[in-house]
Amino acid sequence: MRHILVCFICGFYFVSTLTAQVPKTTSPSDIYHSIQKLNFLGTALYIAAHPDDENTRLISYLSNSLHARTGYLSLTRGDGGQNLIGPELRELLGVLRTQELLAARRVDGGEQMFSRANDFGYSKTPKETLKIWDKELILSDVVSAIRKFKPDIIINRFDHRTPGTTHGHHTASAMLSVEAFDLANDPNAYSDQLGRTDLWQPRRLFFNTSWWFYGSQEKFKKADKSKLLNVDIGTYYPMLGMSNNEIAAIASSQHLCQGFGRLRTRGSEQEYLELLKGDLPQEKSDPFEGINTTWSRIEGGDEIGKILNKVEAEFNFKDPSVHLSDLVRAYALLQKVTDTHWKRIKSEELKSIIEAVAGLHLEAFTNQPFSNASETIEFNIEALNRSNKEIVLESVLINGQPKITEPKTLKNNVSIKNKISIEIPSTTKYTSPYWLMETGTLGTYTVKDPNLIGKSETPRAFKVTFDLMYDGIKIPITKNVVYKYAKPDKGEIYQPFEIVPEATSHLKDKVIIFADDSPKLIPITIKAHKNKVSGSIRLNVGDKWKIDSNIQQFNIEKKGDEQTFYFNLTPPGSEDESKISSILTINGKKITKDLVTIAYDHVPTQTILMPAETKVVRLNIRKSGQNIGYIMGAGDEVPTSLEQIGYTVHSIDPSEISLNSLQKYDAVVLGIRAYNVVNELSFKQKYILEYVKEGGTVIVQYNTAGRWADQFDNIAPYELKVSRDRVTDENSEVKIIAKDNDLVNYPNKITNKDFEGWVQERGLYFPDKWSKEFTPILEMKDEGEPATKGSLLIAPYGKGNYIYTGLSFFRELPAGVPGAYKLFSNMLSVGKNKLENKEKVKG
């Protein structure tokens, strides 16, 4: 339902970035709005650090009110955040958030770009950020984006002058933008780019400020506003039946995995732009004032402008097809201009409008979601003209190769359908996200093809071009080949058509923990992506690890079928970390990939090829207790990790929580952000605390400060104030300050070595105030900051124990960090030491 609503509201010009979608539906109002955009030759670029940093209100205003070509450069893909709707984290979360950004741009009318920066997690300073990102590399990407997009104005979301007051990524994005503003026009800066793009000098650079950046509304009222533009972005669009802020809210609400669904707002609202570089507009409500945004800005554009401005002025809402001849004539003139930048952009816009006014339906689809090299596949080609204009389909080309060469007249509302069989070339590349195809660093992705840098997605492997002829003018319109099918409960569905290997292998667990030296059977599932696939599978293991037989043969008859093979893996006698990987050999070709699918209703289905590998960890770990109850929060893999070391983990339905239901567990764990996202906990908290009072152990993992239901006076049995304190350096020194406490002694002795090898961070949202009943266990800090003791707190309550921890176990356990497993086992085992001693005395 959400998808249908968005398409209706936003019209066809909003969906230009979608790679697989329901065919565009356009109303005359949509077409007219697109013609207005066609007649504005101005460009704005918005720059920030992450998905959801962008101001959708301003992007929508620039695109839909001013009609500017508007882009959002997000330096990262948001890999370092959390996921409120599913299990995807790190690279897969980056893929999901990329698609949510594209969904937002389809709503607000913007275009989406990225750099090679990896969202490595929260950073307190831009100095740390730029060191991990490799400043020169990411600065080159920002310069490249400016040179390619050629913005007249650039708008920064954050202030480059206030390091340390916000996320280091935020400030770094603004600092890079300020520097790139001048470098983009410097022939000595990143000259290797100039073979692919040209120098460019933006006219103005703004900071999208607000009262919030001044500390209070009172301070903002008193501030010097001589360099501030004031823009009312609350405008109403009668033809769309929506206000700008309504569109912006829908766009922002596409960020579902970050919990950004929000109410729509209406009415006047001010946005402020502070001039940082360039000339100050005389009209302080128009950031483009004084910039030529008419067709006259390009040589030969005057005549084109006369035609298209006349179409706009005399637009026929009852029958837009009457403008087809003028639009085609303008298109022909546009092909003669020498300005390749505007020629490319406006040619695509014009072709979309021509397609819309003629009611053309042009489509290329398959009946299967993917194929592989050397396979023969059938493409369905359909062309339909729903106007009374005489349009001829001259030819159809697939990836530039003519496949249909006999011209056919497209008669009014008479569909032309063809089936074309082609053999996919053996050199065809896989269509996995390009930024994940090579191993990157902590701070950056590795992209070997410079032509891909900055793109939001991997270009599709197959494109079909429909060569149309009207009034003697040839108009090529290109479509991606898509997969189309129907479901009884959902109707018609479109997905990207992908190229994948002949087969892939999957290891169920991304980390396998060996709590002792006993061997384990490792299951590896092979899935065929073509008929009659045969070959061998081998498990590659580290030197200290042993395997009974590391090569087995497989033969799978039908595409889509799976076979599971088992390898008996024996760990070393002492603690060790290693990787095992699955290697398929098919006709001499080695395949080391696992095919992962991300499927949500609000974004196109994604298929990602990831390394078919697993981390294996040999631990000397002890534990007490067996049955663990887990109340899932925003989503994490901690339950699976606990099962790896021998616990039996039971998922608890929050609606069924009672004292009686909890008492069967040796400990109860609340997942990350449980109090933020599980509304039932506001009614069930009393039972959780009663369970502790009666002798149970409760472990509460991190929650975002101040974002739980109003019913909570306190989430703990005693005073506990969660703050925004965090330690972002995963290698920071950790001091054990409660050395005699069971949490660091039973059943595993915790030492400083157990805090080695942590990933992304130590933890987040540590309490900064707590009652005397709590004992802080650890002390840690980031460089240059005071130490914090709130990362791990324990308090006795009645007969049991309440533990609050902001340590990022949700990252460390799935990453196979040995010390994190030992410490978590100790938390689950707290209090069991005394029970065991009592049992011994009784015995």
Side-chain angles (χ1 to χ4, degrees):
M1 182 65 184
R2 182 188 304 112
H3 178 71
I4 296 171
L5 178 64
V6 168
C7 287
F8 173 77
I9 291 168
C10 301
F12 74 95
Y13 61 93
F14 284 139
V15 294
S16 61
T17 58
L18 186 57
T19 57
Q21 63 195 34
V22 174
K24 303 167 184 176
T25 57
T26 59
S27 70
S29 293
D30 297 329
I31 298 171
Y32 179 75
H33 208 131
S34 295
I35 292 171
Q36 289 179 307
K37 197 176 183 75
L38 179 69
N39 283 330
F40 188 93
L41 279 71
T43 306
L45 178 61
Y46 201 88
I47 298 179
H50 310 106
D52 84 7
D53 282 346
E54 80 275 25
N55 184 340
T56 55
R57 298 181 302 273
L58 192 54
I59 290 176
S60 179
Y61 177 82
L62 292 166
S63 178
N64 301 311
S65 183
L66 299 186
H67 305 116
R69 183 188 184 213
T70 306
Y72 175 42
L73 173 59
S74 176
L75 296 193
T76 77
R77 296 176 186 264
D79 323 63
Q82 286 86 52
N83 184 356
L84 294 183
I85 63 174
E88 295 84 9
L89 290 174
R90 290 304 312 158
E91 297 93 344
L92 298 182
L93 179 60
V95 174
L96 174 57
R97 289 191 170 182
T98 293
Q99 291 301 318
E100 290 186 338
L101 271 175
L102 290 172
R105 298 295 80 77
R106 290 193 291 273
V107 175
D108 60 34
E111 300 177 38
Q112 187 61 52
M113 292 160 280
F114 295 94
S115 80
R116 285 171 287 179
N118 190 347
D119 180 4
F120 56 83
Y122 193 89
S123 176
K124 292 181 177 178
T125 68
K127 180 181 178 181
E128 178 194 43
T129 297
L130 294 173
K131 180 180 178 181
I132 295 175
W133 274 354
D134 183 349
K135 178 189 173 184
E136 284 302 309
L137 185 71
I138 305 308
L139 179 58
S140 75
D141 287 357
V142 179
V143 169
S144 176
I146 294 172
R147 287 172 173 173
K148 291 177 181 178
F149 201 65
K150 300 190 182 335
D152 298 300
I153 64 172
I154 295 175
I155 302 172
N156 291 345
R157 183 66 180 118
F158 300 104
D159 191 347
H160 67 290
R161 299 160 295 193
T162 55
T165 60
T166 182
H167 196 325
H169 295 184
H170 293 167
T171 309
S173 71
M175 294 169 68
L176 292 173
S177 175
V178 170
E179 194 169 346
F181 182 86
D182 297 316
L183 291 177
N185 201 37
D186 182 352
N188 297 315
Y190 309 108
S191 57
D192 58 304
Q193 299 176 1
L194 298 179
R196 301 183 298 275
T197 188
D198 304 316
L199 297 174
W200 181 254
Q201 182 57 62
R203 179 79 169 264
R204 295 169 184 140
L205 175 65
F206 296 101
F207 162 43
N208 182 195
T209 190
S210 71
W211 69 263
W212 186 87
F213 289 97
Y214 287 78
S216 70
Q217 294 188 7
E218 283 300 316
K219 290 180 180 179
F220 181 64
K221 288 178 182 178
K222 297 175 182 178
D224 177 13
K225 298 183 179 63
S226 60
K227 289 191 174 182
L228 256 60
L229 273 65
N230 183 9
V231 180
D232 185 351
I233 49 85
T235 186
Y236 175 68
Y237 306 122
M239 285 184 300
L240 298 180
M242 298 281 285
S243 70
N244 187 74
N245 284 344
E246 289 177 277
I247 292 174
I250 297 171
S252 180
S253 294
Q254 302 309 301
H255 296 296
L256 295 183
C257 75
Q258 299 180 80
F260 263 58
R262 61 187 177 94
L263 294 172
R264 304 182 203 175
T265 60
R266 301 161 185 84
S268 178
E269 185 173 349
Q270 305 302 310
E271 285 287 346
Y272 296 92
L273 303 176
E274 178 189 354
L275 183 72
L276 301 177
K277 290 192 175 188
D279 61 313
L280 184 68
Q282 294 182 7
E283 174 53 58
K284 288 193 175 182
S285 63
D286 182 6
F288 283 95
E289 190 271 332
I291 299 173
N292 184 3
T293 58
T294 71
W295 279 99
S296 65
R297 82 177 289 173
I298 63 174
E299 186 178 353
D302 284 327
E303 189 175 354
I304 299 170
K306 288 179 183 178
I307 297 170
L308 295 178
N309 285 315
K310 183 172 181 288
V311 170
E312 181 180 341
E314 300 176 359
F315 186 74
N316 189 323
F317 285 87
K318 290 185 177 180
D319 183 11
S321 69
V322 301
H323 302 294
L324 184 60
S325 293
D326 284 337
L327 293 169
V328 170
R329 187 157 57 94
Y331 173 82
L333 290 172
L334 183 57
Q335 305 318 298
K336 300 176 182 178
V337 304
T338 57
D339 188 320
T340 56
H341 174 72
W342 283 113
K343 176 182 176 180
R344 175 182 58 82
I345 294 165
K346 294 302 177 181
S347 290
E348 291 305 312
E349 289 182 24
L350 252 175
K351 286 192 288 187
S352 291
I353 294 171
I354 288 169
E355 189 179 352
V357 300
L360 288 169
H361 173 76
L362 306 171
E363 188 172 67
F365 66 93
T366 73
N367 59 1
Q368 60 188 68
F370 45 75
S371 186
N372 41 73
S374 302
E375 184 179 21
T376 297
I377 189 169
E378 190 171 75
F379 290 164
N380 298 280
I381 310 297
E382 183 174 358
L384 176 64
N385 169 23
R386 289 169 288 192
S387 73
N388 58 8
K389 305 298 181 181
E390 188 172 305
I391 301 172
V392 176
L393 177 62
E394 286 281 302
S395 60
V396 174
L397 299 84
I398 298 179
N399 286 2
Q401 300 298 312
K403 295 297 179 181
I404 298 176
T405 55
E406 181 182 348
K408 292 184 179 180
T409 299
L410 297 178
K411 298 179 181 179
N412 183 20
N413 216 27
V414 177
S415 179
I416 292 178
K417 298 180 180 179
N418 288 277
K419 294 184 183 294
I420 301 176
S421 293
I422 68 162
E423 181 179 340
I424 296 176
S426 60
T427 56
T428 304
K429 295 181 178 180
Y430 304 142
T431 48
S432 186
Y434 70 85
W435 61 95
L436 299 179
M437 295 302 286
E438 305 288 340
T439 301
T441 68
L442 173 64
T444 61
Y445 292 115
T446 298
V447 180
K448 291 186 175 180
D449 185 351
N451 294 307
L452 292 175
I453 295 172
K455 291 184 179 293
S456 57
E457 297 180 284
T458 303
R460 294 294 125 186
F462 286 92
K463 297 178 180 292
V464 172
T465 299
F466 298 82
D467 280 341
L468 305 175
M469 188 72 71
Y470 180 78
D471 279 356
I473 305 299
K474 182 179 177 181
I475 308 163
I477 296 178
T478 300
K479 303 288 184 179
N480 290 317
V481 176
V482 297
Y483 166 50
K484 183 171 75 169
Y485 65 106
K487 282 188 173 181
D489 58 335
K490 291 187 177 181
E492 188 176 64
I493 300 173
Y494 285 72
Q495 287 181 202
F497 171 66
E498 313 279 13
I499 303 300
V500 301
E502 293 94 328
T504 53
S505 56
H506 175 70
L507 290 95
K508 177 184 175 183
D509 299 308
K510 291 308 174 188
V511 173
I512 303 175
I513 305 296
F514 290 75
D516 53 35
D517 58 4
S518 301
K520 286 187 178 183
L521 280 177
I522 309 300
I524 303 179
T525 300
I526 302 174
K527 186 169 186 176
H529 306 303
K530 65 178 294 185
N531 292 327
K532 298 184 183 303
V533 178
S534 61
S536 65
I537 178 172
R538 176 167 64 90
L539 188 62
N540 190 40
V541 302
D543 293 338
K544 297 180 181 180
W545 298 70
K546 296 180 181 179
I547 195 164
D548 290 352
S549 174
N550 70 339
I551 298 180
Q552 300 184 44
Q553 303 298 315
F554 70 89
N555 183 23
I556 304 177
E557 282 295 311
K558 292 184 178 181
K559 177 189 291 189
D561 278 357
E562 297 178 344
Q563 286 184 6
T564 299
F565 295 83
Y566 294 88
F567 293 84
N568 198 43
L569 182 64
T570 302
S574 58
E575 291 193 345
D576 186 69
E577 297 178 51
S578 186
K579 279 190 176 181
I580 61 173
S581 58
S582 169
I583 302 173
L584 304 182
T585 302
I586 301 173
N587 296 325
K589 180 180 179 181
K590 287 181 169 49
I591 301 172
T592 60
K593 297 295 184 181
D594 180 9
L595 186 66
V596 181
T597 300
I598 299 177
Y600 293 98
D601 287 343
H602 66 300
V603 296
T605 297
Q606 301 294 297
T607 56
I608 305 100
L609 292 170
M610 299 292 289
E613 63 184 21
T614 287
K615 182 177 181 180
V616 288
V617 181
R618 166 68 170 93
L619 284 179
N620 289 322
I621 189 170
R622 299 179 179 88
K623 65 183 183 66
S624 288
Q626 182 63 39
N627 294 300
I628 307 301
Y630 203 93
I631 303 171
M632 188 63 72
D636 59 61
E637 297 179 32
V638 171
T640 301
S641 299
L642 298 181
E643 289 173 343
Q644 289 270 6
I645 56 175
Y647 283 105
T648 303
V649 183
H650 305 266
S651 179
I652 297 176
D653 183 344
S655 66
E656 297 178 359
I657 292 175
S658 67
L659 176 59
N660 184 57
S661 70
L662 297 180
Q663 285 184 322
K664 60 187 174 184
Y665 301 119
D666 296 308
V668 171
V669 182
L670 281 81
I672 60 172
R673 298 182 66 181
Y675 286 108
N676 298 146
V677 300
V678 182
N679 293 329
E680 289 95 333
L681 290 181
S682 61
F683 308 107
K684 301 294 185 176
Q685 175 72 353
K686 60 182 179 180
Y687 301 119
I688 294 173
L689 296 182
E690 283 180 18
Y691 164 74
V692 180
K693 196 171 185 179
E694 292 298 317
T697 296
V698 162
I699 300 170
V700 178
Q701 298 179 85
Y702 97 92
N703 283 265
T704 304
R707 292 189 180 178
W708 37 69
D710 294 336
Q711 291 93 330
F712 285 117
D713 294 325
N714 198 5
I715 63 170
Y718 311 109
E719 180 186 10
L720 181 74
K721 299 297 182 184
V722 177
S723 73
R724 299 184 67 84
D725 288 352
R726 62 175 76 203
V727 175
T728 62
D729 182 359
E730 63 270 31
N731 298 310
S732 62
E733 181 185 3
V734 177
K735 293 181 179 180
I736 300 172
I737 58 176
K739 295 185 178 181
D740 295 330
N741 195 281
D742 276 358
L743 284 187
V744 290
N745 288 287
Y746 177 81
N748 303 285
K749 181 68 175 178
I750 302 299
T751 68
N752 282 19
K753 189 176 186 301
D754 292 303
F755 295 97
E756 295 176 2
W758 285 49
V759 299
Q760 188 159 324
E761 63 199 357
R762 289 293 187 199
L764 62 171
Y765 294 106
F766 297 163
D768 61 353
K769 293 180 181 179
W770 51 84
S771 71
K772 60 181 176 55
E773 287 82 3
F774 280 102
T775 299
I777 306 299
L778 307 172
E779 179 181 283
M780 60 188 70
K781 66 175 183 175
D782 280 321
E783 184 179 357
E785 295 188 353
T788 175
K789 299 179 180 180
S791 63
L792 178 58
L793 302 169
I794 183 170
Y797 181 61
K799 301 176 185 177
N801 291 278
Y802 178 96
I803 299 171
Y804 186 93
T805 179
L807 293 170
S808 58
F809 288 106
F810 72 102
R811 297 194 191 281
E812 312 313 321
L813 298 184
V817 177
Y821 275 91
K822 292 179 181 180
L823 183 53
F824 210 101
S825 177
N826 282 13
M827 293 193 300
L828 294 170
S829 304
V830 71
K832 307 297 189 298
N833 189 17
K834 295 176 183 178
L835 291 175
E836 289 178 5
N837 289 335
K838 286 182 179 179
E839 290 298 323
K840 289 179 181 178
V841 170
K842 288 180 181 180

